[in-house]
Amino acid sequence: MSNSRGKIIVVGAGIAGLSTAWALTRRGYTVEVFEQGPIPNPRASSYDEHRITRHAYGTLEGYAYLMPRAFRLYEQLFQDIGARHFSPGSVFYFLRNDVDWYEPVSRSLTALGKGYRDIPLAEVPDRFPMIETRSLARCVETDEGGMLFPIRILTDLTVWLGNQGVTFHADARVSEVDPEAGTLVANGETHRADRIVIAAGAWVNKLTPEVAGAVVPSRQAVMYLSPPAEYVEAWKVAPVLIDLGTESGTYTLPPRMGTRLKVGDHVFTRSGDADGDRIATDADVARLNKAARLAYRDFERYQVLERKICFYTVTRDASEEFQVKPWGAKTWVVSACSGHGFKLGPLIGDGVAAAIAGEMSDEDAVRLTAGRMGLEEARALG
């Protein structure tokens, strides 16, 4: 591009990397994307049938305040790619223990003007016949959430970026990054740029020591299921369901728009190697099976269609703050922690691009992506 503002290399073609490439391209930068596998990469944690998006964030109130902007940026992205890969709807929470969730959610949703309400427990069996009501203490419905469809988003975003002149390097494994010189080595060849953004997901610690003290890879199990016949109709119209309990914590996405019923585990393993396989073993799904049996009636009668492993980076201190920061003179490191990365992908990418473009200070970009901004600061971003 003759009118380019400079050349940026992005390492990683998951939602964080592609969103950053999108935000940089919109600002007039020449962008190259390096990915160790195909683009999109089926091994990437971003590559999934559907993911939850919502405004309720529990004790992570700073991220709740960012969600209106995250939704708006997704709408901009959808407009660019020409498809709205989003199914809006309510998100229901089933509380079974004294978990620290309701008070901060009530406070943040009230401040945001987002609707929520208690559902009488007596209504649960009729509305959700698949729910196990024993030990159920509270049911809360929150508005303006829903499901994103990652495979479709990543595919269409890749096409759009290519059409805008982005250069892709598929099957290009990066082995070395010099954060001061702005160079990297991929497949034995050196490449140079004005800036480098490392958005390598669970592989981040293999490329930089910058966040190694803060994050660790986490091997996480999910299962795709076919429900018993008597629950099929209920699942067809079900919203996103999240079970919150010390033993029963799960998140569940219903089958929608060609996807399968999916249930996942809230508890982070903080173990495993991102270079490992993506096939879940009996040991991987042991806790998930136990938790799902506490959340859903007759769970032993659900047919397992696939057991899958994905890898996240999660914080060692359980804070779940995203680790996004400059490294050296010419590099940014992006580590979106704890599985929240997809719903916030465009927001994180836009924040990093804004810092590179000089629209936001590095310090503010770090605070933004870590969810440390208050409501008024978040609103001021537009």
Side-chain angles (χ1 to χ4, degrees):
M1 291 183 181
S2 59
N3 62 343
S4 173
R5 299 177 66 177
K7 176 182 172 181
I8 314 293
I9 286 177
V10 177
V11 181
I15 190 60
L18 293 182
S19 291
T20 303
W22 168 72
L24 289 164
T25 299
R26 294 178 103 246
R27 286 170 168 82
Y29 288 93
T30 296
V31 180
E32 297 191 20
V33 176
F34 285 73
E35 168 58 49
Q36 64 179 323
I39 301 173
N41 189 348
R43 287 172 58 84
S45 295
S46 296
Y47 196 85
D48 200 356
E49 294 183 11
H50 42 6
R51 289 286 177 88
I52 301 169
T53 188
R54 62 186 189 270
H55 289 88
Y57 248 96
T59 57
L60 301 174
E61 293 180 64
Y63 284 114
Y65 298 143
L66 293 176
M67 286 311 298
R69 178 168 175 78
F71 275 86
R72 288 193 294 272
L73 283 167
Y74 254 116
E75 292 300 333
Q76 289 182 15
L77 187 151
F78 291 148
Q79 184 174 4
D80 281 351
I81 66 176
R84 191 172 189 251
H85 298 307
F86 171 54
S87 177
S90 300
V91 179
F92 280 75
Y93 296 83
F94 299 92
L95 283 64
R96 298 182 185 275
N97 302 97
D98 186 19
V99 292
D100 187 13
W101 181 87
Y102 185 83
E103 290 304 323
V105 165
S106 175
R107 182 166 53 244
S108 61
L109 293 187
T110 297
L112 290 170
K114 304 299 179 182
Y116 66 97
R117 64 204 58 84
D118 274 87
I119 303 301
L121 295 182
E123 295 181 9
V124 171
D126 287 334
R127 297 184 64 172
F128 303 104
M130 73 289 268
I131 292 293
E132 176 56 68
T133 56
R134 288 179 298 179
S135 77
L136 191 60
R138 192 170 202 165
C139 176
V140 180
E141 178 186 17
T142 63
D143 296 338
E144 298 185 56
M147 293 179 285
L148 297 163
F149 298 96
I151 294 174
R152 303 172 201 183
I153 292 170
L154 295 174
T155 301
D156 283 356
L157 184 51
T158 297
V159 172
W160 184 86
L161 289 168
N163 291 343
Q164 300 301 309
V166 169
T167 299
F168 292 107
H169 300 266
D171 301 311
R173 191 173 183 101
V174 175
S175 58
E176 183 181 339
V177 177
D178 186 329
E180 302 294 344
T183 62
L184 61 76
V185 178
N187 294 349
E189 183 179 350
T190 300
H191 300 263
R192 182 179 302 275
D194 297 293
R195 294 289 186 92
I196 295 173
V197 179
I198 299 174
W203 287 270
V204 64
N205 290 343
K206 297 177 183 289
L207 296 178
T208 170
E210 185 65 18
V211 296
V215 305
V216 62
S218 189
R219 181 179 173 94
Q220 299 299 130
V222 298
M223 294 192 296
Y224 300 89
L225 308 164
S226 180
E230 63 267 35
Y231 299 132
V232 166
E233 294 305 315
W235 277 117
K236 283 182 179 179
V237 297
V240 172
L241 306 179
I242 297 178
D243 189 281
L244 298 175
T246 55
E247 298 294 329
S248 61
T250 58
Y251 61 90
T252 304
L253 293 97
R256 193 80 83 247
M257 295 176 63
T259 65
R260 297 170 291 178
L261 172 63
K262 183 179 80 171
V263 60
D265 196 344
H266 272 312
V267 177
F268 303 120
T269 68
R270 291 185 170 81
S271 64
D273 186 336
D275 284 326
D277 64 60
R278 297 299 187 273
I279 301 171
T281 65
D282 289 344
D284 285 321
V285 300
R287 191 216 169 266
L288 178 54
N289 267 312
K290 179 181 177 182
R293 282 177 166 80
L294 295 171
Y296 296 110
R297 291 178 176 172
D298 305 312
F299 189 75
E300 67 281 355
R301 295 176 49 228
Y302 283 65
Q303 296 185 77
V304 177
L305 304 175
E306 182 183 359
R307 303 189 306 187
K308 179 182 175 182
I309 289 297
C310 59
F311 280 91
Y312 300 121
T313 50
V314 300
T315 51
R316 296 179 185 274
D317 64 2
S319 69
E320 298 191 43
E321 283 190 356
F322 291 8
Q323 302 297 306
V324 179
K325 58 181 65 178
W327 177 36
K330 294 188 175 183
T331 303
W332 275 82
V333 180
V334 177
S335 180
C337 294
S338 307
H340 298 307
F342 206 95
K343 65 178 72 65
L344 285 157
L347 182 142
I348 300 300
D350 188 73
V352 173
I356 290 174
E359 301 165 11
M360 179 184 295
S361 70
D362 290 357
E363 293 78 10
D364 281 347
V366 170
R367 292 177 59 244
L368 165 73
T369 55
R372 297 176 191 163
M373 289 188 169
L375 176 60
E376 295 308 316
E377 285 183 291
R379 282 177 171 165
L381 293 173

